[in-house]
Amino acid sequence: MSSDATPPARPATLEDVARVAGVSRATVSRVINGAASVDPALRRAVERAVDATRYVPNRAARSLVTRRTDSVALVVSESRDLTVSSPFVGRMFSDPHFGRVVSGLLEVLRPAGVQLMLMLADDDASCDRLVGYLRQGHVDGVVLISQHAADPLPELLAASCLPAVLAGRPSRPDLPIGSVDVDQAAGAALAADHLMARGRRRVGTITGPLDMPSGRNRLDGFTAAAARNGLGDVVSVEGDFTQGGGAVAMTALLQRRPDLDGVFIASDLMALGALPVLHRSGRSVPDDVAVVGFDDSSAALACEPQLTTVRQPVEAMAAEMARSLLARINDPQQPAHSRVFDPELVVRRSS
């Protein structure tokens, strides 16, 4: 990359960005438009040059030609009948997972000059309004965080032909919508194998909501791996992916399994609520009870002791969602793209 990064007096052009990045104008154009095939090193060079030159695409001129809005919607869907003042909104913004998704999306969308709009769908009426708004062409595409298997939005978006990508796999495998996910069951199996390797035989799990694919897949992956290790007696209590829900679920789990010596908690945020319950009950972690979470979020480091957890690369997954969506926007004839990331076990002091 050239050292000549002084912003020009006039508005920067694609040629200015290309000169500073040391690449061709065509490469700059491909990065700006979100092409997925650009070499990562070249992409980073162009993104640095965009910042250095303060390049701003002429979106007004482009929209007259392309009929695009240069904006995409991040739709967070919750199927239960909740009001805007309900815990749904507070839960969404307090969950570290949501912030990591936004960060990963912006990493790709901002250099491409694409705005991100947050939209919520938390009941049937808001879902209907949302679909009507999207169909009127106010955005070029949708990233959908859908919380429950019965959510109608994935199917409605697929039927609308609006470019869309789903965070997590769709409940219907034949649904023509792009998706990005981590291998949930494999991640939970890593947790089970780790607990068994630590000699834990009286294990339990605090699941996520079982009407959510991620909650069900993590439970199935954990119990299947435990059975492969010769342990069929796994006590489970359903949680809700919140810190408070983790505390309630851990209280119930100790009542059902007072001799518990190992527990898989299906989110770090629930573990943050569950660990103080273990401490108050007189259990030492990890001596009496080994604990493994899921996500590797900031909540894992806030736990005492710091949490062994299954890492899902949320920022990388969100960036992949953004690249996939931009590719569909640029070429609507592309087939829906799906990708599943591998999980990783991060061992800390809780196990």
Side-chain angles (χ1 to χ4, degrees):
M1 177 174 173
S2 167
S3 61
D4 182 9
T6 303
R10 56 177 170 71
T13 65
L14 282 178
E15 287 77 9
D16 295 321
V17 177
R19 173 176 50 81
V20 172
V23 301
S24 69
R25 185 186 187 279
T27 297
V28 173
S29 179
R30 289 166 62 208
V31 172
I32 293 297
N33 288 289
S37 59
V38 180
D39 179 84
L42 294 179
R43 184 186 302 280
R44 288 191 294 270
V46 171
E47 290 169 353
R48 289 194 296 267
V50 167
D51 291 338
T53 60
R54 300 176 188 172
Y55 172 73
V56 178
N58 188 339
R59 297 298 171 186
R62 181 185 170 195
S63 65
L64 292 174
V65 177
T66 64
R67 299 184 182 274
R68 294 182 188 168
T69 66
D70 291 315
S71 62
V72 300
L74 172 59
V75 176
V76 182
S77 178
E78 166 64 68
S79 66
R80 286 172 288 183
D81 186 12
L82 300 171
T83 65
V84 173
S85 61
S86 76
F88 168 48
V89 174
R91 186 167 70 245
M92 178 181 67
F93 285 109
S94 64
D95 189 335
H97 181 88
F98 178 75
R100 295 174 68 193
V101 170
V102 172
S103 176
L105 292 172
L106 292 178
E107 178 185 333
V108 173
L109 297 178
R110 288 179 65 183
V114 176
Q115 298 298 313
L116 184 65
M117 300 172 54
L118 175 63
M119 307 183 75
L120 309 179
D122 52 16
D123 57 26
D124 290 341
S126 65
C127 179
D128 290 341
R129 288 193 299 270
L130 172 69
V131 172
Y133 180 87
L134 296 175
R135 284 174 172 167
Q136 290 171 22
H138 294 291
V139 298
D140 298 324
V142 176
V143 175
L144 175 61
I145 301 178
S146 179
Q147 300 290 335
H148 297 274
D151 190 345
L153 267 177
E155 190 164 351
L156 290 172
L157 288 174
S160 74
C161 297
L162 183 69
V165 61
L166 177 65
R169 277 168 281 189
S171 56
R172 274 183 47 199
D174 61 330
L175 200 63
I177 187 170
S179 66
V180 176
D181 200 5
V182 71
D183 193 330
Q184 307 279 353
L190 290 176
D193 291 340
H194 179 74
L195 288 172
M196 305 302 143
R198 291 292 193 268
R200 308 302 168 132
R201 308 300 296 176
R202 302 182 301 278
V203 300
T205 179
I206 295 175
T207 76
L210 296 180
D211 63 339
M212 295 175 62
S214 60
R216 172 57 62 184
N217 290 338
R218 292 176 197 182
L219 173 61
D220 291 345
F222 184 79
T223 55
R228 288 196 300 271
N229 283 276
L231 188 63
D233 183 21
V234 175
V235 177
S236 66
V237 173
E238 186 173 0
D240 62 1
F241 284 152
T242 70
Q243 183 174 348
V248 171
M250 179 55 76
T251 300
L253 184 60
L254 289 174
Q255 290 172 347
R256 295 185 57 188
R257 189 80 201 231
D259 61 344
L260 187 76
D261 70 357
V263 59
F264 167 54
I265 303 176
S267 81
D268 295 346
L269 198 58
M270 288 198 297
L272 187 61
L275 281 172
V277 175
L278 284 171
H279 297 322
R280 288 194 297 269
S281 71
R283 273 82 164 183
S284 172
V285 176
D287 294 339
D288 299 325
V289 182
V291 180
V292 180
F294 199 109
D295 287 330
D296 195 27
S297 67
S298 58
L301 299 179
C303 289
E304 181 54 43
Q306 289 189 348
L307 190 65
T308 293
T309 187
V310 177
R311 181 177 187 270
Q312 55 173 333
V314 176
E315 291 86 354
M317 292 162 62
E320 176 68 15
M321 285 190 285
R323 284 191 290 269
S324 174
L325 183 62
L326 291 180
R328 286 291 306 279
I329 291 170
N330 290 327
D331 182 5
Q333 301 307 312
Q334 280 195 14
H337 169 73
S338 296
R339 180 175 175 186
V340 179
F341 282 73
D342 293 326
E344 177 187 357
L345 184 70
V346 179
V347 179
R348 299 193 179 96
R349 293 188 296 113
S350 70
S351 67

